[in-house]
């Protein structure tokens, strides 16, 4: 199959499955699956595909898709990739190369790549030795019989040519010199476009594939429909794409490359580094061209970093793909010394959430993490200190490695790159030597003291640089509603540097995760969860927070038996579900946790919005002004939200269609409450829909208590019934169902939830009208559970962040790439 490939292409091509190994019927086209070489120039994979199409007399098709399922998928990475795909679409079109692009999104998901591969004569793709791409290629090979070729588009010295791992820079520098020197001295030779092309319209019709022209679409609107992490904002100053990448490179060539040798380790040196790693990671720029330019400029130190250290990490990952997230990826001496000291006393045991937000209480480390969270990048010298510092803060060296990789890959635009892996693994001993002095926790692993490192830089200037705004203009934001939705939206926006104020009508935060606290006459305190009784976690975007809350004691598992009762109180079945969790010591613990460090005006009911002449919104509580804001986001129940938005936005009519159900809730506490044979019960064909033994939950007050929630139908029939009458009627039904009859309990009350949950929620996570700066969200948008509320708040924050960070301007010939100054 590769007999006619030019030698320079053949030596960087690995046949994952050759034509001799394949039991494959003749294919109809040559398929190039583009994913990490988002360029149509100096692209060896594209040239291999062109050569094979020519050799076999078949048309060529380039397919580039965007999955929702890659690890750490977020608005940040998706935006960068979409901008890159937009550039490469244009570049392919200008070269007359046939291509289709498909982003996975709501209402348009399918096995398009697999179906295309099955009909192809050969599949060509890029060699990227990290997950998930290695796993995706392996599964694709297993589900098709098509010959598959992987091409190294990243390294000047191809991984398949050297075919060994390296841990010594000097060895790699020596063995790779032939390829490095040859490609530095000679221009890259592209293949002539002399093969036929597939008809994209025919491809779309045959495979029911809707290709997207990214030059004609609003990227922010497209992202709204992707099931990804909306809490990580796009990086406005680092747009994706070939043109932006080369614009940044030209800036560095003119202003920084000559000083690189002396300034590269100083994180407060203007233009001290090229900041090209993300563009190189996704192949938006040619490493061959970057290397040639650096060589012409005489930038030998930069070339050494680009060609030796970067490529050595790529070669290492190629031979150790399966263990990169484990201690097996580091040298034996490093692994043994860390394990030997695994039981040494730790300075602290931090949770993922605490570290991800930059709340370690160490100024330099927290600034480094904020750089990742807000700007998607971290200066390499600081990254080394940042990575090593997690080792004494976590329960084990493996946990430290995995969490450090998580934070890097989740927030850094160059995360999951082999070079990025190399940098993190260096913190744990890879490509390094053991220290002669053995220390607690680190053992012989060289450490970096945070205070010492902070004293070596101008920390004040570094902090100023890190805390620069994430975009040219950021809005002031008001959030109405202090439930889970409103609080996670507020916190996400605040973490990205926006000015946010939360208004909550109740005395405290919580919304439908509220806990009622009452002081009895004898001083006994009663705590009863009278809203959400528990929650589950299924979506990975929510699960990682729940795991962190478990670590910090904010929530605990609830293992109480949950059953289903018939109308007479007989158990008909166990109710099986995902693990159940509850806030500790009450359900409102989650809201209190989210509200920490936020500006919350409790006991404030917003009654009116009024648009000012400055395109801002004035909020009022009756006749009291609450201030003016650029953006107002409402997480109240749908009817109340629609009333506040009336006449201001097109969203009102959508929200009016949401019907919400009411719920009367009875709370009772008394020592005479006998233990019921369950922790919770769903009741059928009864005025009562739920019975919960509140005192069966972990961390609750020892005074036995139960919570009874009436069905929506019964509640609607008793909307105007007095609280005393509701208590009496529900107590009788409870007694008939369970035999629990208590005269004059120590505590008893009822609460009417006028808007308990949506009868039928919208199929949207959040609603935002950017034209007027108004948004609406809550669990009524996408479900009825705590998880739905959380995801809705995350999506609402994402909508605002996308609006202010993604440039909606059409293509420009010379895109501007911001180079933020440290001295502004």
């Amino acid at each position: 199959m590769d007999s006619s490939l030019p030698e320079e292409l053949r030596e960087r091509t690995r046949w994952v499955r050759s034509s001799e190994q394949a039991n494959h019927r003749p294919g109809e086209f040559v398929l190039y699956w583009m994913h990490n070489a988002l360029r149509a120039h100096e692209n060896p994979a594209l040239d291999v595909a062109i050569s094979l199409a020519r050799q076999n007399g078949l048309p060529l098709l380039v397919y580039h898709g965007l999955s929702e399922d890659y690890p750490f998928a977020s608005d940040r990475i998706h935006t960068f990739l979409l901008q890159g795909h937009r550039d490469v679409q244009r570049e392919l079109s200008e070269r007359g190369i046939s291509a289709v692009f498909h982003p996975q999104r709501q209402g348009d998901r399918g096995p398009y790549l697999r179906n295309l591969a099955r009909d192809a004569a050969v599949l060509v793709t890029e060699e990227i030795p990290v997950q998930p791409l290695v796993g995706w290629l392996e599964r694709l090979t297993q589900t098709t019989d098509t010959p598959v070729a992987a091409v190294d588009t990243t390294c000047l010295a191809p991984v398949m040519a050297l075919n060994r791992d390296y841990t010594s820079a000097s060895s790699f520098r020596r063995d790779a010199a032939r390829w490095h020197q040859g490609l530095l001295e000679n221009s890259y030779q592209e293949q002539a476009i002399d093969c036929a092309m597939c008809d994209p319209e025919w491809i779309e019709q045959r495979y029911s594939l809707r290709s997207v022209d990214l030059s004609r679409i609003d990227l922010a609107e497209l992202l709204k429909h992707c099931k990804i992490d909306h809490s990580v904002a796009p990086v406005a100053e680092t747009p994706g794409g070939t043109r932006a990448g080369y614009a940044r490179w030209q800036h560095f060539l003119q202003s920084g490359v000559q000083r690189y040798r002396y300034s590269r380790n100083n994180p407060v040196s203007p233009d001290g580094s090229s900041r090209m790693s993300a563009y190189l990671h996704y192949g938006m720029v040619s490493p061959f061209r970057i290397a040639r330019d650096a060589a012409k400029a005489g930038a030998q130190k930069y070339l050494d970093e680009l060609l030796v250290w970067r490529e050595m990490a790529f070669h290492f990952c190629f031979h150790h793909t399966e263990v990169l997230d484990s201690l097996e990826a580091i040298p034996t001496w490093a692994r043994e010394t860390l394990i030997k000291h695994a039981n040494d006393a730790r300075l602290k045991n931090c949770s993922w959430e605490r570290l991800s937000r930059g709340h370690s209480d160490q100024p330099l480390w927290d600034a480094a993490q904020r750089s990742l969270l807000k700007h998607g990048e971290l200066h390499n010298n600081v990254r080394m200190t940042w990575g090593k510092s997690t080792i004494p803060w976590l329960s084990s060296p493996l946990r430290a490695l995995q969490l450090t990789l998580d934070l890097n890959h989740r927030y850094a635009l160059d995360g999951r790159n082999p070079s990025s892996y190399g940098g993190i693994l260096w913190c744990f001993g890879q490509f390094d030597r053991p220290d002669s002095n053995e220390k607690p926790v680190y053992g012989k692993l060289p450490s970096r003291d945070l205070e010492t490192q902070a004293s070596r830089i101008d920390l004040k200037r570094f902090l100023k640089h890190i805390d620069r705004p994430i975009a040219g203009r950021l809005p002031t934001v008001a959030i109405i509603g202090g439930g889970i939705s409103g609080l996670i939206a507020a916190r996400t926006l605040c973490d990205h540097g926006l000015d946010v104020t939360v208004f909550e009508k109740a005395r405290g935060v919580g919304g439908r995760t509220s806990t009622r606290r009452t002081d009895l006459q004898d001083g006994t305190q009663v705590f009863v969860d009278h809203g959400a009784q528990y929650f589950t976690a299924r979506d990975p975007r929510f699960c990682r927070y729940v795991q962190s809350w478990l670590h910090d004691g904010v929530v605990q598992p609830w293992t109480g038996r949950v059953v289903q009762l018939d109308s007479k109180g007989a158990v008909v079945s166990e109710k099986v579900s995902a693990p159940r969790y509850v806030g500790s010591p009450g359900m409102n613990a989650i809201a209190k946790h989210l509200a920490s460090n936020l500006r919350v005006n409790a006991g404030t009911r917003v009654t009116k919005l009024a648009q000012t002449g400055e395109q801002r919104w004035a909020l009022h509580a009756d006749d009291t002004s609450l201030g003016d804001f650029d953006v107002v986001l409402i997480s109240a129940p749908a009817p109340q939200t629609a009333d506040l938005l009336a006449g201001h936005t097109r969203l009102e009519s959508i929200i009016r269609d949401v019907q919400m159900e009411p719920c009367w809730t009875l709370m009772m506490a008394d020592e005479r409450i006998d233990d019921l044979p369950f922790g919770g019960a769903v009741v059928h064909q009864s005025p009562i829909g739920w019975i919960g033994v509140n005192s069966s939950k972990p961390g609750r007050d020892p005074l036995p208590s139960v919570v009874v929630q009436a069905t929506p139908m019964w509640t609607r029939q008793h909307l105007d019934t007095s609280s005393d009458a509701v208590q009496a009627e529900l107590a009788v039904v409870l007694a008939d169902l369970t035999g629990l009859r208590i005269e004059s309990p120590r505590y008893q009350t009822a609460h009417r939830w006028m808007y308990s949950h949506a009868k039928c929620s919208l199929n949207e996570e959040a609603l935002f009208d950017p034209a007027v700066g108004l948004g609406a969200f809550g669990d009524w948008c996408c479900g009825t559970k705590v998880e739905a509320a959380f995801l809705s708040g995350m999506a609402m924050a994402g909508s605002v962040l996308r609006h202010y960070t993604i440039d909606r301007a059409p293509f420009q010939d010379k895109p501007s790439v911001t180079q933020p100054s440290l001295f502004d």
Side-chain angles (χ1 to χ4, degrees):
M1 178 68 78
D2 65 341
S3 60
S4 68
L5 288 179
E7 181 182 359
E8 65 272 15
L9 294 179
R10 188 165 60 250
E11 65 186 5
R12 59 178 59 249
T13 301
R14 177 177 68 94
W15 286 95
V16 182
R17 178 195 283 132
S18 68
S19 56
E20 290 78 13
Q21 296 170 318
N23 180 21
H24 183 60
R25 62 181 176 81
E28 302 176 49
F29 47 82
V30 170
L31 177 64
Y32 169 30
W33 170 30
M34 175 185 283
H35 51 74
N36 271 74
L38 301 185
R39 62 183 187 272
H41 64 282
E42 298 194 11
N43 182 341
L46 176 60
D47 287 330
V48 167
I50 292 170
S51 296
L52 292 175
R54 178 197 310 123
Q55 172 184 331
N56 290 275
L58 292 171
L60 172 66
L61 175 67
V62 177
Y63 173 84
H64 47 137
L66 184 55
S67 171
E68 300 167 305
D69 299 328
Y70 62 89
F72 313 109
S74 66
D75 284 4
R76 171 167 300 168
I77 303 175
H78 248 53
T79 297
F80 193 74
L81 285 168
L82 286 168
Q83 291 165 334
H85 284 300
R86 185 172 60 186
D87 271 12
V88 81
Q89 274 191 329
R90 183 189 64 144
E91 194 177 1
L92 288 166
S93 176
E94 289 175 350
R95 292 192 66 187
I97 298 174
S98 177
V100 293
F101 172 69
H102 176 263
Q104 276 189 342
R105 59 203 184 279
Q106 182 180 357
D108 194 5
R109 302 180 177 102
Y112 302 116
L113 176 60
R114 185 200 66 189
N115 294 342
L116 287 165
R118 286 177 175 174
D119 291 337
V122 59
L123 170 70
V124 179
T125 192
E126 300 110 18
E127 185 75 81
I128 299 295
V130 294
Q131 298 293 355
L133 289 159
V134 169
W136 286 354
L137 185 58
E138 181 179 341
R139 288 193 294 273
L140 189 61
T141 305
Q142 292 172 348
T143 56
T144 69
D145 295 324
T146 307
V148 178
V151 184
D152 188 340
T153 63
T154 303
C155 298
L156 275 67
V159 291
M160 49 284 291
L162 296 182
N163 198 27
R164 57 160 287 198
D165 65 338
Y166 290 86
T167 57
S168 164
S170 59
S171 298
F172 181 77
R173 190 180 289 111
R174 179 191 64 241
D175 292 354
R178 169 198 155 193
W179 284 273
H180 290 167
Q181 196 61 34
L183 286 167
L184 289 177
E185 293 175 351
N186 301 292
S187 298
Y188 182 95
Q189 298 299 312
E190 292 179 340
Q191 293 293 301
I193 311 298
D194 54 2
C195 60
M197 295 291 163
C198 285
D199 180 359
E201 292 186 3
W202 175 77
I203 291 291
E204 291 181 27
Q205 292 174 4
R206 176 170 178 173
Y207 296 95
S208 301
L209 189 159
R210 290 190 296 158
S211 183
V212 174
D213 181 354
L214 291 173
S215 68
R216 301 174 180 272
I217 199 166
D218 185 335
L219 299 187
E221 182 66 19
L222 175 62
L223 286 166
K224 170 185 173 182
H225 300 288
C226 297
K227 189 178 180 181
I228 56 177
D229 186 350
H230 299 302
S231 70
V232 185
V235 181
E237 67 187 27
T238 305
T242 294
R243 293 172 305 161
Y246 284 130
R248 175 165 290 179
W249 174 240
Q250 289 301 316
H251 176 90
F252 180 68
L253 276 177
Q254 296 167 10
S255 62
V257 73
Q258 297 299 334
R259 299 196 308 271
Y260 179 79
R261 180 177 181 180
Y262 308 100
S263 61
R264 66 188 183 92
N265 287 328
N266 185 355
V268 297
S269 173
D271 300 318
S273 60
S274 67
R275 302 172 67 213
M276 290 296 296
S277 58
Y279 297 102
L280 288 164
H281 171 31
Y282 292 108
M284 296 172 183
V285 297
S286 163
F288 312 105
R289 173 177 163 179
I290 298 298
R292 293 195 307 270
D293 287 350
K296 290 177 183 177
Q300 290 304 312
K301 185 58 183 174
Y302 185 85
L303 270 178
D304 198 57
E305 293 291 329
L306 177 73
L307 300 184
V308 176
W309 290 97
R310 173 176 162 272
E311 290 192 8
M312 183 171 67
F314 197 100
H315 282 247
F316 177 83
C317 291
F318 180 74
H319 293 278
H320 299 277
T321 302
E322 300 304 320
V323 298
L324 292 178
D325 294 328
S326 74
L327 294 180
E328 294 299 314
I330 61 177
T332 301
W333 69 264
R335 182 167 60 253
E336 289 179 348
T337 196
L338 287 172
I339 292 174
K340 176 183 175 181
H341 290 270
N343 294 323
D344 290 0
R346 262 50 187 171
L347 296 176
K348 56 184 80 173
N349 187 10
C350 296
S351 64
W352 170 85
E353 185 182 32
R354 179 179 174 186
L355 292 180
S356 70
R357 301 183 65 209
H359 286 190
S360 75
D361 300 326
Q362 294 289 332
L364 177 59
W365 196 95
D366 289 346
Q369 180 58 30
R370 289 200 305 278
S371 180
L372 282 173
L373 190 156
K374 296 170 66 175
H375 306 295
E377 64 182 15
L378 184 55
H379 189 280
N380 188 55
N381 191 34
V382 178
R383 191 194 304 253
M384 294 189 287
T385 303
W386 168 87
K388 284 183 176 290
S389 298
T390 62
I391 297 173
W393 295 352
L394 294 153
S395 57
S396 70
L398 176 59
R399 175 64 177 156
L401 173 61
Q402 292 177 338
L403 193 144
T404 305
L405 286 169
D406 177 288
L407 296 178
N408 181 76
H409 296 352
R410 188 175 302 282
Y411 297 109
L413 280 170
D414 65 355
R416 294 184 297 109
N417 181 263
S419 182
S420 191
Y421 267 104
I424 299 300
L425 292 175
W426 178 89
C427 298
F428 290 78
Q430 188 55 264
F431 313 124
D432 204 357
R433 295 184 295 246
D435 201 333
S436 57
N437 296 319
E438 196 161 350
K439 300 176 291 297
V441 181
Y442 288 97
K444 294 183 179 180
L445 183 72
S447 61
R448 282 193 162 206
D449 179 70
L450 276 166
E451 293 184 0
T452 300
Q453 295 300 319
S455 68
R456 293 175 177 174
I457 66 174
D458 188 333
L459 184 59
K460 183 177 180 180
R461 184 180 294 182
F462 182 65
L463 293 175
K464 178 182 178 182
H465 178 57
I466 294 306
D467 291 325
R468 66 192 186 274
I470 65 169
R473 173 177 171 261
L474 293 178
T476 56
V477 181
I479 293 181
I480 301 173
I484 297 297
S485 287
L487 294 173
I488 190 59
R491 205 176 74 169
T492 300
L493 295 172
C494 282
D495 284 349
H496 283 84
L498 276 67
D499 184 352
V500 182
T501 305
V502 179
F503 297 94
E504 168 55 45
K505 66 180 180 181
R507 291 178 298 173
V509 295
R512 287 195 283 278
T513 58
S514 294
T515 298
R516 178 72 63 91
R517 189 190 79 175
T518 303
D519 296 321
L520 303 183
Q521 290 184 351
D522 63 359
T524 301
Q525 288 189 328
V526 178
F527 295 86
V528 182
D529 300 325
H530 64 298
Q533 296 294 289
Y534 64 89
F535 68 92
T536 57
R538 294 177 173 83
D539 192 296
R541 296 172 293 177
F542 183 51
C543 287
R544 72 173 185 269
Y545 283 89
V546 175
Q547 292 301 313
S548 191
W549 296 341
L550 285 166
H551 178 281
D552 289 336
V554 177
V555 304
Q556 294 189 53
W558 179 40
T559 57
R561 180 181 180 227
V562 178
V563 301
Q564 299 194 59
L565 306 179
D566 64 18
S567 61
K568 298 185 181 301
V571 175
V572 294
S573 66
E574 299 275 344
K575 185 172 175 58
V576 180
S577 76
R580 303 179 181 95
Y581 304 97
V582 294
S584 180
M587 285 296 289
N588 65 349
I590 306 168
K592 289 182 176 179
H593 171 73
L594 294 175
S596 60
N597 302 319
L598 292 179
R599 186 189 305 128
V600 179
N601 291 348
T604 306
R605 181 190 293 270
V606 178
T607 58
K608 181 183 177 182
L609 304 181
Q611 193 167 22
T612 70
E614 303 172 349
Q615 295 297 307
R616 305 187 76 203
W617 294 98
L619 270 61
H620 298 273
D622 295 326
D623 295 329
T624 302
S625 173
L626 302 174
D628 292 359
F629 301 87
D630 298 306
V631 170
V632 177
L633 311 174
I634 307 175
S635 65
Q640 296 174 333
T641 298
D643 289 344
L644 280 172
L645 295 177
H648 297 310
T649 171
R650 57 181 175 79
L651 301 179
E652 179 193 354
S653 60
I654 300 172
I655 300 168
R656 292 284 185 200
D657 290 337
V658 178
Q659 298 180 38
M660 302 209 59
E661 300 281 27
C663 177
W664 268 114
T665 298
L666 168 67
M667 294 158 273
M668 182 188 302
D670 196 279
E671 292 88 348
R672 293 169 290 172
I673 296 177
D674 296 325
D675 289 338
L676 295 175
F678 52 76
V682 176
V683 188
H684 299 284
Q685 297 180 331
S686 167
I688 291 176
W690 167 265
I691 303 169
V693 183
N694 192 76
S695 48
S696 73
K697 299 175 184 176
R700 269 33 180 195
D701 189 89
L703 183 64
S705 57
V706 294
V707 175
V708 174
Q709 293 179 335
T711 63
M713 179 181 294
W714 189 91
T715 301
R716 283 195 299 271
Q717 295 169 350
H718 295 78
L719 274 182
D720 298 323
T721 303
S722 69
S723 174
D724 290 343
V726 166
Q727 293 174 48
E729 289 195 44
L730 290 180
V732 170
V733 178
L734 176 64
D736 291 342
L737 287 169
T738 65
L740 187 62
R741 301 179 189 276
I742 298 178
E743 298 295 333
S744 302
R746 291 191 61 190
Y747 173 75
Q748 180 172 291
T749 190
H751 178 83
R752 186 187 68 179
W753 295 96
M754 191 65 184
Y755 306 111
S756 172
H757 61 275
K759 186 175 182 179
C760 183
S761 61
L762 298 173
N763 195 24
E764 299 271 2
E765 287 188 326
L767 303 172
F768 184 55
D769 185 348
V772 294
L774 295 175
F777 61 115
D779 57 10
W780 51 268
C781 281
C782 54
T784 60
K785 307 298 184 182
V786 170
E787 181 175 70
F790 186 93
L791 294 176
S792 180
M794 186 181 284
M796 186 75 268
S799 293
V800 175
L801 291 169
R802 290 193 301 271
H803 179 67
Y804 285 90
T805 55
I806 297 179
D807 182 10
R808 287 172 167 75
F811 272 152
Q812 301 170 3
D813 291 335
K814 295 181 179 179
S816 173
V817 180
T818 304
Q819 299 288 333
S821 171
L822 291 163
F823 308 102
D824 287 344

